[in-house]
Amino acid sequence: MTNPSQKERTANLISFYRLALGAVIPQAMAAIVKLGIADLLQEGEKHVEEIAELTETKAPLLYRILRTLASEGVFKETKPRTFALTPVAELLCSDQPGSVRHVVLANVDDWRWRSLGCLTDSLKHGKSAIHHAYGVENYYEFFAEHSESHDTFNKAMVAHSYNINTPFIENYDFSGIATVADIGGGEGRLLASILEANPHLQGILFEGSYTLEKAEVLLKEQGVLERCQLTAGNFFEEISITADLYVLSFILADWDDEASLKILKNIRKAIGDRDCKLLILDYIVPEGNEFHLSKIVDTVLITFGNGCFRTESEYSRLYREASFDWTGNPESGTYASVMELGPIHTP
Ligand SMILES: C[S@@+](CC[C@H](N)C(=O)[O-])C[C@H]1O[C@@H](n2cnc3c(N)ncnc32)[C@H](O)[C@@H]1O
């Protein structure tokens, strides 16, 4: 045990309380997002009375929430009771691609909080927290009965995908490729961005039929639907798709090794004796104590199902077992990782 001075102990207690009361922040952000306050401040800083009038809320209460968020870098009190956007608050504005407002809303969906409350049960019994909360294996089983939550989650993934994929697509060399297949590509945000940036490419979106219907809307809005083939399927059964480049973006994170191997082996089967590439976009969990998004989101994954983010050696082992070589790490441009795999051909 250390023997901190009183000054250090006080600082430790403040750190502790900030963490222990951290649940206030996502809910406060959600209230602000639901009221569209970041959007209002795009016109310029505003007095809390004016914000309250425009949002039909109670100014004294609103002030206390904005003051708390400002203390965490979301909004800034520029003069007494007047608030402006900060760069973090700008991310909440709804009119920009990649707006994280849907991420905020997905994070406070009831099932997320109820499942998080079951982490101790997970630790004791080994099943996902959502199993203990709702009796389902994973969040997809839950979504099958809760389409509103499914839609909220998908919108958050679209934002996440845009933010992760934009810099990666700028950096990646798609020349020499004619067809890209995004397996479990959600509402098609990644595929749309790839096709927009590369007019020579054709795309294939492989997804469950529910999400595929939503994807059709997004791909049409982005003007790339004519270059897309939409294929409904289950990646655990068969992925009978011929492409030059296959992509798995934030898919393996949902599944344990056994299930992940099934997906990888089905792609490997689709590749056969051809020489094309598979790109995996995911978080790689780094060693050490430093904060990395992969660590906190990996704890969220305990509530979603049986998946996890993996370390470099854990990904390596998985890829080898599915007959893939990890051939490169293209620049992702963000905190996510891009892993480039090629098929191992046995003579
Ligand atoms: C975490 S989301 C990732 C979505 C997208 N790739 C991205 O990066 O935004 C996982 C996706 O896998 C899809 N999925 C889940 N199980 C599937 C299955 N058995 N077959 C095909 N797609 C599936 C889900 O519908 C969901 O869109």
Side-chain angles (χ1 to χ4, degrees):
M1 290 285 280
T2 55
N3 190 12
S5 66
Q6 184 52 46
K7 199 171 158 197
E8 285 165 338
R9 186 173 157 74
T10 300
N12 294 340
L13 282 165
I14 292 171
S15 297
F16 159 76
Y17 276 111
R18 191 168 173 176
L19 288 171
L21 297 171
V24 166
I25 301 298
Q27 293 287 4
M29 281 204 282
I32 292 309
V33 159
K34 286 176 193 167
L35 294 165
I37 288 178
D39 291 336
L40 287 178
L41 294 180
Q42 270 183 310
E43 299 158 7
E45 62 183 30
K46 286 196 191 320
H47 194 276
V48 72
E49 293 288 348
E50 189 185 349
I51 306 172
E53 202 181 312
L54 288 166
T55 55
E56 296 176 0
T57 51
K58 310 291 178 205
L61 299 181
L62 182 59
Y63 174 69
R64 287 158 63 190
I65 289 188
L66 287 172
R67 176 176 64 184
T68 299
L69 288 174
S71 75
E72 295 289 357
V74 189
F75 304 112
K76 185 173 172 191
E77 191 169 3
T78 50
K79 44 187 184 271
R81 305 182 92 79
T82 294
F83 289 89
L85 291 176
T86 57
V88 173
E90 278 172 20
L91 298 172
L92 297 171
C93 295
S94 56
D95 67 348
Q96 52 160 321
S99 164
V100 294
R101 64 188 298 279
H102 291 297
V103 177
V104 172
L105 297 175
N107 282 349
V108 297
D109 204 345
D110 280 350
W111 71 271
R112 298 280 295 267
W113 290 74
R114 195 166 143 193
S115 300
L116 267 172
C118 294
L119 276 179
T120 315
D121 300 298
S122 284
L123 292 174
K124 287 279 185 193
H125 306 290
K127 286 260 189 193
S128 68
I130 197 169
H131 171 80
H132 293 287
Y134 294 97
V136 292
E137 271 308 296
N138 56 45
Y139 65 142
Y140 293 117
E141 258 186 55
F142 177 82
F143 287 163
E145 303 293 323
H146 299 84
S147 59
E148 207 176 312
S149 291
H150 196 172
D151 294 344
T152 305
F153 176 81
N154 278 351
K155 286 197 180 85
M157 282 313 295
V158 166
H160 173 261
S161 175
Y162 182 87
N163 292 322
I164 295 285
N165 295 322
T166 306
F168 146 68
I169 292 167
E170 275 166 18
N171 289 323
Y172 194 75
D173 180 8
F174 288 92
S175 62
I177 293 164
T179 309
V180 178
D182 192 0
I183 311 299
E187 293 194 5
R189 185 58 265 187
L190 168 62
L191 193 59
S193 299
I194 294 177
L195 296 183
E196 275 175 288
N198 298 278
H200 71 284
L201 284 179
Q202 298 288 316
I204 303 172
L205 188 67
F206 183 94
E207 248 297 341
S209 48
Y210 179 85
T211 300
L212 212 52
E213 268 178 40
K214 314 270 166 183
E216 192 168 347
V217 178
L218 187 149
L219 293 164
K220 193 168 182 186
E221 271 169 18
Q222 300 303 312
V224 294
L225 186 60
E226 316 77 63
R227 286 192 280 139
C228 267
Q229 178 189 315
L230 306 185
T231 303
N234 178 345
F235 49 46
F236 293 118
E237 289 171 2
E238 195 183 17
I239 305 172
S240 52
I241 277 177
T242 305
D244 306 310
L245 179 69
Y246 295 80
V247 181
L248 277 180
S249 168
F250 287 83
I251 297 297
L252 300 183
D254 275 340
W255 308 103
D256 61 16
D257 284 2
E258 195 187 334
S260 294
L261 272 172
K262 271 193 196 147
I263 302 169
L264 287 167
K265 284 181 176 172
N266 280 339
I267 296 179
R268 181 65 193 84
K269 200 167 156 197
I271 292 175
D273 54 12
R274 294 178 302 127
D275 253 333
C276 45
K277 289 193 171 116
L278 165 62
L279 289 182
I280 311 267
L281 280 73
D282 245 313
Y283 294 138
I284 298 180
V285 186
E287 306 283 339
N289 293 313
E290 281 73 37
F291 178 84
H292 189 273
L293 272 182
S294 62
K295 295 177 185 174
I296 193 158
V297 186
D298 184 61
T299 297
V300 172
L301 291 181
I302 300 175
T303 69
F304 280 14
N306 301 320
C308 61
F309 290 116
R310 296 168 169 89
T311 62
E312 232 173 74
S313 60
E314 287 166 341
Y315 282 116
S316 267
R317 201 169 346 106
L318 208 57
Y319 299 155
R320 284 238 137 232
E321 222 176 312
S323 289
F324 281 106
D325 243 345
W326 185 346
T327 51
N329 297 294
E331 180 57 54
S332 77
T334 64
Y335 37 82
S337 293
V338 183
M339 298 167 261
E340 192 174 63
L341 316 188
I344 298 174
H345 295 293
T346 40

